[in-house]
Amino acid sequence: MTTLHDRLADLADDAPPGGPAPGLWDRGRRLQRRRRAGTAVVVAAVVLALGALGFVDWTTSREPAPADTDGISGAMRLPDHFYEPTHHLAGTDGHPIGPVVGMLGGDRAGQERNGLAVVSGTTGEYRYLDLPDKVGDGYLSPDGTRLAYWYGAFDTSGAYENRIDGMAVYDTVTGDVTRHPVESPHGIRPVGAAWVGRGIWFGYGAYSSDERRSAEGREQAVWDPQAQEATARSDAPMPAFTVSYGANGALAEAAGHRLRLWSARDLTVTARFQIDRSVDGPAWTSPDATRSVVMEDPDGQGTSDSGRAAAVLLMEAVSPTQAVTTPIPGVRALAVVGWRDDDHVVVVDRDGRYASVDVDTGASQPLVTVDSGAVWDPRLQVAADAWSAPTFAAPAPPDPMSRLLVAEIAVFVVVLGAGAILLWRRRVRP
């Protein structure tokens, strides 16, 4: 009879020899080392890719410091080049950069309508403006510290035009916005605006019906946003607002054979001159208030925004009601934009560049170049005081990557790295 002890002994005799296979421990250690090495390589590649992405993002986003201008620090400076604003520039919301030397349109990413960019007059930095409820044109003050604009609401139906409710002023130094609503049940139609001293002078008509197909009257007002005071007049003559800043903040308007000087204090015409030649556009008065420059308009068709070059005239009063003009020798330009000093005016030449011209000799010297691509609406507007400021070699604005694109690339790199690690660990197995 076979006992339990005998059966267990038989089973023990038939069992395979015990103990691990020879070299199993070493093979397991080698497998583990291979997995760790592969994982480390993938992690290192991911870290390197993310670091390269961060470096590229940093180098394309940082603002290069402009060159110093003869030791001047904190003063208004005029860049020798205005560049086309890049798509992903940061905005001014929470980061004002004033005083501002220039303002121009740009193709801002993520925005259906053209963006409005400003350039710092002290650092050369570019940023897009974040102006609440802006629906109309903007007007930069002579010192670049304030920007007036029409505010209201966009018409999203496409039936008519945007509703404009009043004038607002953005402080480019503090970032504050002050508004002056104009009472009108259906909004207003802007006529134009110009800075006069501390205030913004603007004209408008009030819409008369819900259809907003007509506007009643032509009103005008000067609003001081600091004092929160507005002076309105409906009986004063209204300029076309193609006006210039003359000596002591006066305004001048030239058209045909006529020149009118305006008082910003009470919105009245203080002087009228008959001119011996037909002229058009702003008449820029010299800093010493002895003479003015204006564009000739020989055919009476107007020169403003016409793209036609015309003679630049030096104009002097010979009586309280008469003025005579003398062409600046050899100079034909698209526009006059201001005075650099008592003897030099700034013009836009036929190539679209800004040049300083000696009013007595006609000698011209390049002053500012504008990118050919910087033609978005609105076109470049320079603070009037900046034309007399020293120039500096302006760096190009940064061309940052889209924040969304950077995040998407970073996530893709991490996911790709995780997938590579899983694939490697599946391949390296016993």
Side-chain angles (χ1 to χ4, degrees):
M1 179 176 181
T2 304
T3 64
L4 176 61
H5 181 272
D6 295 336
R7 293 179 63 186
L8 290 174
D10 293 339
L11 290 173
D13 292 339
D14 295 337
L24 180 62
W25 176 262
D26 292 335
R27 289 197 302 272
R29 294 286 292 176
R30 286 195 299 270
L31 178 64
Q32 188 177 43
R33 284 196 296 269
R34 287 185 64 195
R35 282 181 170 178
R36 287 178 177 175
T39 301
V41 170
V42 173
V43 170
V46 169
V47 171
L48 183 62
L50 292 177
L53 176 64
F55 178 75
V56 171
D57 182 44
W58 176 72
T59 54
T60 57
S61 300
R62 64 193 183 110
E63 288 279 354
D68 190 21
T69 308
D70 298 329
I72 299 175
S73 177
M76 175 75 80
R77 297 186 282 186
L78 179 66
D80 66 351
H81 194 125
F82 282 100
Y83 298 88
E84 180 181 3
T86 51
H87 303 308
H88 298 286
L89 285 175
T92 56
D93 189 13
H95 190 93
I97 64 172
V100 166
V101 69
M103 176 178 68
L104 68 166
D107 183 18
R108 189 175 188 178
Q111 188 165 298
E112 293 182 6
R113 303 170 182 87
N114 290 344
L116 191 61
V118 286
V119 185
S120 170
T122 56
T123 67
E125 180 183 5
Y126 283 66
R127 278 184 179 261
Y128 280 111
L129 281 167
D130 294 311
L131 299 177
D133 302 323
K134 179 186 178 299
V135 293
D137 293 335
Y139 309 90
L140 190 60
S141 67
D143 63 0
T145 62
R146 290 161 298 164
L147 172 64
Y149 65 94
W150 301 100
Y151 77 89
F154 283 110
D155 174 26
T156 57
S157 68
Y160 302 108
E161 57 186 7
N162 300 325
R163 177 190 175 96
I164 295 179
D165 295 321
M167 180 67 72
V169 168
Y170 168 75
D171 190 312
T172 66
V173 178
T174 66
D176 297 333
V177 174
T178 309
R179 302 186 189 221
H180 177 68
V182 176
E183 295 297 331
S184 175
H186 309 297
I188 59 175
R189 176 180 59 84
V191 175
W195 281 95
V196 287
R198 298 192 316 172
I200 180 71
W201 183 14
F202 59 93
Y204 61 93
Y207 282 105
S208 59
S209 66
D210 286 330
E211 287 76 21
R212 301 181 62 202
R213 296 184 184 276
S214 63
E216 296 178 332
R218 298 186 72 184
E219 308 289 329
Q220 59 181 309
V222 171
W223 170 49
D224 183 340
Q226 292 178 310
Q228 284 292 291
E229 296 176 353
T231 303
R233 290 282 298 274
S234 60
D235 58 342
M238 182 177 290
F241 288 102
T242 54
V243 294
S244 64
Y245 306 105
N248 302 319
L251 296 178
E253 178 189 18
H257 290 268
R258 182 190 64 186
L259 170 69
R260 295 193 295 183
L261 302 182
W262 295 79
S263 166
R265 182 175 54 84
D266 55 8
L267 303 181
T268 58
V269 176
T270 59
R272 291 180 172 88
F273 292 92
Q274 285 297 118
I275 311 172
D276 59 344
R277 283 183 173 88
S278 179
V279 299
D280 177 63
W284 299 91
T285 305
S286 62
D288 60 8
T290 61
R291 47 191 176 175
S292 301
V293 286
V294 69
M295 296 288 293
E296 184 177 19
D297 183 22
D299 57 8
Q301 298 299 312
T303 60
S304 300
D305 297 324
S306 67
R308 295 184 295 113
V312 180
L313 306 176
L314 187 63
M315 182 168 54
E316 298 180 83
V318 293
S319 78
T321 60
Q322 297 290 325
V324 296
T325 58
T326 304
I328 298 177
V331 176
R332 294 184 67 82
L334 300 178
V336 179
V337 295
W339 288 78
R340 186 148 178 81
D341 53 44
D342 288 333
D343 300 312
H344 296 82
V345 296
V346 181
V347 304
V348 181
D349 65 20
R350 301 187 210 195
D351 296 322
R353 297 170 301 190
Y354 292 88
S356 175
V357 174
D358 188 305
V359 295
D360 295 315
T361 66
S364 177
Q365 183 175 359
L367 187 64
V368 174
T369 301
V370 182
D371 268 2
S372 59
V375 295
W376 297 92
D377 184 31
R379 298 195 178 188
L380 176 65
Q381 185 179 145
V382 177
D385 292 352
W387 292 123
S388 60
T391 60
F392 71 95
D399 189 8
M401 300 172 65
S402 164
R403 300 294 90 196
L404 179 61
L405 178 62
V406 171
E408 288 175 344
I409 294 176
V411 170
F412 175 75
V413 169
V414 171
V415 171
L416 186 64
I421 290 175
L422 291 176
L423 181 62
W424 173 255
R425 295 180 70 86
R426 290 186 63 181
R427 289 186 60 186
V428 180
R429 59 197 320 180

